[in-house]
Amino acid sequence: MTTAQAYRDYLTRTKKNESLVNIKMECFHAFEATVADLAAITDQDIYAFIRPDDTDCRAGHIKNANEFFLHFATFIEKEHPSLANTAAVIRGYFQARFITTAQRHVTDKKAKIIPMPDDTQIDLRHLTGLSHDDFASAFAFLQQLVIQCYDAIAESPLLWGYPDYVTTEGHYNRLVDVLFALVFYGTHCEGVITVDTKAFFASPSIKRHKKLERMMDGLAQMGFAFENIKSETFRVSFPSHPHVITALFAYARQLSPDRQSWWQYSIAVQSFSHRFVENPAAQAYEPAYLAEMDYGNETLREIKRLLHAEAAKYGYTVDKQNWQDPNGARLTKGAKQFLTVQQGRRTPNTNHFEPHATQIGTKVSFIHAFAKAPDKMHALCARFPQVFRLDDPGTCCNDNPASGHSFADKSEKSGRRCAFVMRFTFDGTAYKRCGLGNFFFNDLTPGDVMAILEMYLIENNIKTPRIRS
């Protein structure tokens, strides 16, 4: 019996869903066709087939390929020992990926923690019995403690319970999830948090994590003390520096006092920025806006200051319910969003921005502004010819089946309509673009941003509020 026949028999016996059987067999045949010998595969063979770092519109393939390999390894271990080396290579490949993925996440989180300046003025409402200097010292210690935890996790992520299975990014927020949940489901008194055990372990931010005891053990090694963990309530302290618990409680509770969706608020919030315990009287902008500016270079900070001032003219303010999105802190008015920028650049042939040390970018779609203000759009197009490419009427996914983009309707009757197709007419020429892969503005100066903003206001019909007499 061939390996393909044996694997299909195994799938038929263990999987009731015929669609899943077909998906895994399709993966098997596709992978088999890429290698000379299944018994002699390498890590590179697996990587080349999955292409896990190619994120553009391939999530379905990546998911199916990951699931196939792990399932195929299980099949070999149970029923096909002649390919034992193949299973070992697969297990080794994924083990290495699990470790490096966790290390990448914690390294990114660690890099976002900016030590609090020595002259920071603390908001007095957070002191809760401590002196100003004691709280400031405790918060600075907390920042360094979290950094030390990330360092320890990077050395041995699996010992801390980080995922040893394929999962989404939210499952790598283990450290912050646990620390914040201790606060949200507890009460604080003199450096001790008393946690409601049932509520803590039943909370969504905790339930999604496996092997939580490993995280608790790791925190204990870093100096946290957990008492009566199996009782109705358990106590959390930090004996060598009790004030650090006071700082942790004040920081986390004021970020989201109602415990709602706190984990979505942004990397700035999750990374213990001093901006959220700083005296508001010492702040020129909202804490979330300042926290993001702290991570950027001087060009980004200048642009952020300009955009904040312009947004205020039209009644836009920082969205306190959604402090950040991937493009930066949101300036909103109701459901409308103001122009956002980020420190990063779009690399060729991708549909997203990557972090960049110096460049500033934004993604803005223009459709209506061509007809509303053609003269001004001519000027913008001349400024960014590589963005608008007016010499090319363009195509979209419908014209390029190999594009790999998502389609709004995949039925044969619809003709596979692209979910991102955009059309506009300019100087009598009809243009077509895919909104997913177009309108990326790279390497911007403050003047560039103001030029884009002028047309953004026109495109989105944003006007100054009427002054009522």
Side-chain angles (χ1 to χ4, degrees):
M1 181 182 295
T2 66
T3 299
Q5 290 172 326
Y7 187 43
R8 179 174 285 280
D9 288 347
Y10 176 74
L11 285 167
T12 302
R13 282 187 281 109
T14 59
K15 298 290 184 183
K16 295 182 180 180
N17 188 317
E18 185 177 350
S19 176
L20 291 178
V21 172
N22 292 335
I23 289 173
K24 285 184 168 51
M25 287 306 301
E26 287 175 5
C27 286
F28 171 83
H29 289 303
F31 178 64
E32 186 182 37
T34 68
V35 296
D37 184 0
L38 274 177
I41 66 170
T42 65
D43 286 356
Q44 184 56 39
D45 292 329
I46 299 172
Y47 179 89
F49 182 74
I50 302 174
R51 289 183 289 152
D53 299 322
D54 178 6
T55 59
D56 290 329
C57 309
R58 299 185 59 255
H61 165 77
I62 293 172
K63 176 178 182 293
N64 290 339
N66 282 330
E67 292 177 351
F68 155 69
F69 278 115
L70 292 170
H71 187 266
F72 188 56
T74 300
F75 153 71
I76 292 171
E77 292 160 351
K78 289 184 176 181
E79 299 195 4
H80 213 64
S82 63
L83 290 179
N85 179 69
T86 301
V89 172
I90 292 172
R91 296 298 187 195
Y93 169 86
F94 279 96
Q95 178 89 338
R97 293 292 296 185
F98 297 148
I99 291 172
T100 56
T101 299
Q103 289 172 333
R104 184 174 67 248
H105 275 263
V106 298
T107 300
D108 177 68
K109 297 292 191 294
K110 172 186 169 182
K112 292 295 185 181
I113 301 178
I114 300 175
M116 181 176 67
D118 292 337
D119 60 352
T120 298
Q121 300 178 39
I122 302 297
D123 187 344
L124 298 181
R125 67 191 176 94
H126 298 315
L127 301 185
T128 58
L130 299 185
S131 70
H132 181 280
D133 289 347
D134 282 346
F135 186 96
S137 174
F139 188 80
F141 184 93
L142 174 64
Q143 288 184 314
Q144 293 304 312
L145 175 61
V146 175
I147 289 174
Q148 291 168 11
C149 287
Y150 283 140
D151 284 338
I153 292 166
E155 289 184 9
S156 304
L158 300 185
L159 289 181
W160 280 73
Y162 274 70
D164 57 357
Y165 51 91
V166 177
T167 189
T168 55
E169 291 192 6
H171 292 256
Y172 291 90
N173 285 336
R174 289 174 63 90
L175 180 61
V176 172
D177 281 352
V178 170
L179 292 178
F180 278 34
L182 293 172
V183 171
F184 294 151
Y185 300 97
T187 57
H188 170 259
C189 181
E190 297 183 350
V192 177
I193 299 175
T194 301
V195 184
D196 183 326
T197 305
K198 183 178 180 180
F200 173 83
F201 285 104
S203 65
S205 61
I206 294 300
K207 287 175 64 177
R208 68 166 162 229
H209 297 299
K210 299 179 181 179
K211 301 177 182 176
L212 201 63
E213 69 281 356
R214 295 190 182 184
M215 177 61 69
M216 299 298 204
D217 290 342
L219 288 172
Q221 293 177 17
M222 301 304 295
F224 286 87
F226 299 92
E227 302 176 51
N228 305 319
I229 195 73
K230 295 184 179 180
S231 302
E232 289 187 4
T233 60
F234 65 92
R235 290 161 51 91
V236 184
S237 59
F238 199 91
S240 67
H241 196 329
H243 296 339
V244 75
I245 295 294
T246 303
L248 170 64
F249 194 91
Y251 177 81
R253 181 53 66 90
Q254 63 90 24
L255 288 180
S256 183
D258 58 0
R259 309 172 183 171
Q260 298 298 312
S261 301
W262 61 269
W263 58 272
Q264 297 176 331
Y265 279 2
S266 76
I267 189 63
V269 179
Q270 294 187 52
S271 292
F272 300 90
S273 170
H274 69 280
R275 296 299 190 178
F276 299 97
V277 294
E278 190 175 31
N279 183 354
Q283 297 180 327
Y285 303 100
E286 297 88 344
Y289 207 74
L290 284 169
E292 186 190 345
M293 291 170 72
D294 287 340
Y295 296 135
N297 57 26
E298 182 51 42
T299 301
L300 179 69
R301 288 193 284 272
E302 180 181 353
I303 291 171
K304 289 290 186 181
R305 289 191 287 266
L306 287 171
L307 287 177
H308 194 282
E310 290 298 316
K313 297 177 183 177
Y314 300 93
Y316 286 69
T317 58
V318 171
D319 185 346
K320 295 181 179 180
Q321 299 302 314
N322 256 313
W323 286 344
Q324 279 193 330
D325 67 9
N327 297 323
R330 292 180 179 178
L331 291 159
T332 64
K333 184 170 74 171
K336 294 183 178 181
Q337 182 170 320
F338 209 67
L339 178 67
T340 60
V341 300
Q342 59 183 298
Q343 189 167 314
R345 75 181 306 275
R346 180 215 185 191
T347 53
N349 302 315
T350 64
N351 296 325
H352 57 275
F353 284 102
E354 294 287 350
H356 192 277
T358 61
Q359 291 195 19
I360 310 299
T362 189
K363 187 177 189 299
V364 185
S365 297
F366 289 106
I367 299 296
H368 307 294
F370 290 97
K372 288 183 176 180
D375 291 342
K376 292 182 178 180
M377 278 304 298
H378 269 297
L380 190 67
C381 292
R383 189 168 190 151
F384 301 100
Q386 73 282 8
V387 174
F388 292 99
R389 296 177 292 109
L390 294 182
D391 57 336
D392 176 17
T395 60
C396 198
C397 307
N398 306 65
D399 310 298
N400 181 16
S403 66
H405 290 183
S406 300
F407 289 84
D409 190 334
K410 297 183 178 181
S411 67
E412 293 183 7
K413 184 178 180 180
S414 74
R416 290 169 60 85
R417 293 176 298 177
C418 173
F420 308 104
V421 65
M422 306 178 74
R423 293 180 173 87
F424 59 91
T425 300
F426 196 39
D427 289 344
T429 300
Y431 292 90
K432 181 162 60 173
R433 298 284 186 261
C434 176
L436 191 66
N438 285 272
F439 304 107
F440 285 88
F441 295 81
N442 277 323
D443 202 9
L444 300 177
T445 66
D448 291 334
V449 172
M450 296 305 289
I452 295 169
L453 175 62
E454 180 182 16
M455 299 314 301
Y456 181 89
L457 297 174
I458 294 172
E459 174 73 22
N460 294 280
N461 199 33
I462 298 175
K463 301 177 181 178
T464 53
R466 293 182 179 178
I467 300 176
R468 297 180 178 180
S469 56

